[in-house]
C-alpha cells in the first residue's frame, strides 16, 4: 500500500458555506459525495484507508483528514447537513489556518497524480508540516520522555531558525 493524496469539496451542487463544511467534519467526521456523482468510482476504489485528503471550499483549504474506513452507502442522511450517501469515516488531522489557496480547485474529488504539480506540492507540504509538528505525539514514550523530546525539538527548531536568519 502506498499512501495517496486527494483533494475534494463537500457540496451538494450548490454553495453550502465553509462553516457547514467544518460542521460536517467536526460533528460527523465523514467525507463523501453522492453515489451518482461522476467521481463515485474513484471515491470507492482508488481511495483507501490511510490516504490523506485535503478538504477545500473552492480554492480555500478547510482541513486535512486521514481516511479511516472503507466507503459505505448510508441512506440515513440529513439533507441539510451531510446530504451525501456515499461516505468514509475520517480523522481530522488539522483544520487549516492561514490565507493560502489550493491552486487547482476544480471538481469534486481529485487525486494528486504528480508530486511536482502546484496543488500536490501544497497538499503534501501541508501534510509534512502537520506530520513533523505532531510526530512526538505518536512516539511510544512516557510523558516525561515526550516532554524532554519536545523541549529538545523546540530548542533545535529555534536554533535552526536563527541559523537560517544569520545566513
Amino acid at each position: 500500500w502506498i499512501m495517496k493524496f486527494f483533494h475534494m469539496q463537500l457540496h451538494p451542487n450548490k454553495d453550502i458555506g465553509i462553516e457547514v463544511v467544518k460542521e460536517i467534519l467536526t460533528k460527523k467526521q465523514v467525507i463523501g459525495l453522492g453515489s451518482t456523482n461522476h467521481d463515485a468510482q474513484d471515491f470507492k476504489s482508488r481511495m483507501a484507508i490511510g490516504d490523506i485528503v485535503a478538504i477545500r471550499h473552492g480554492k480555500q483549504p478547510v482541513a486535512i483528514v486521514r481516511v479511516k474506513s472503507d466507503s459505505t452507502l448510508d441512506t440515513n442522511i440529513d439533507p441539510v447537513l451531510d446530504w451525501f450517501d456515499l461516505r468514509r469515516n475520517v480523522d481530522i488531522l488539522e483544520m487549516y489556518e492561514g490565507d493560502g489557496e489550493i491552486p487547482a480547485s476544480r471538481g469534486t474529488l481529485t487525486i494528486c497524480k504528480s508530486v511536482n504539480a502546484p496543488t500536490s506540492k501544497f497538499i503534501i507540504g501541508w501534510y509534512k508540516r502537520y506530520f513533523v509538528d505532531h510526530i512526538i505525539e505518536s512516539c511510544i514514550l512516557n510523558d516525561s520522555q515526550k516532554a524532554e523530546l519536545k523541549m529538545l525539538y523546540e530548542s533545535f527548531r529555534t536554533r535552526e531558525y536563527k541559523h537560517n536568519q544569520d545566513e
Side-chain angles (χ1 to χ4, degrees), residues 30-165:
V30 295
I31 59 172
L33 41 78
S35 57
T36 59
N37 185 290
H38 65 278
D39 291 319
Q41 191 57 42
D42 283 346
F43 187 82
K44 291 189 286 188
S45 62
R46 292 185 77 185
M47 189 179 286
I49 295 171
D51 285 346
I52 303 300
V53 183
I55 305 301
R56 59 185 170 74
H57 183 258
K59 288 187 172 207
Q60 186 174 5
V62 177
I64 194 162
V65 302
R66 179 179 291 120
V67 175
K68 70 177 200 177
S69 76
D70 289 326
S71 65
T72 59
L73 195 59
D74 187 351
T75 55
N76 186 22
I77 59 171
D78 177 349
V80 176
L81 184 61
D82 58 335
W83 50 269
F84 42 86
D85 58 351
L86 186 58
R87 55 185 62 205
R88 287 177 178 269
N89 295 330
V90 295
D91 286 322
I92 301 169
L93 301 180
E94 184 173 78
M95 299 302 277
Y96 187 76
E97 293 180 16
D99 56 3
E101 291 185 339
I102 294 180
S105 59
R106 299 182 60 79
T108 303
L109 175 68
T110 306
I111 187 167
C112 296
K113 293 177 185 173
S114 168
V115 295
N116 295 320
T119 298
S120 298
K121 285 181 178 182
F122 180 93
I123 294 166
I124 294 167
W126 182 7
Y127 176 72
K128 283 180 179 177
R129 284 187 300 279
Y130 164 82
F131 184 80
V132 167
D133 288 346
H134 293 86
I135 194 165
I136 292 172
E137 296 168 10
S138 64
C139 293
I140 303 173
L141 303 170
N142 65 38
D143 289 341
S144 86
Q145 290 170 321
K146 284 183 182 180
E148 186 174 344
L149 186 58
K150 189 170 189 167
M151 183 181 68
L152 289 169
Y153 173 70
E154 290 301 325
S155 172
F156 168 78
R157 197 166 155 181
T158 304
R159 227 178 297 129
E160 192 69 18
Y161 174 77
K162 184 177 179 339
H163 174 74
N164 289 338
Q165 295 298 315

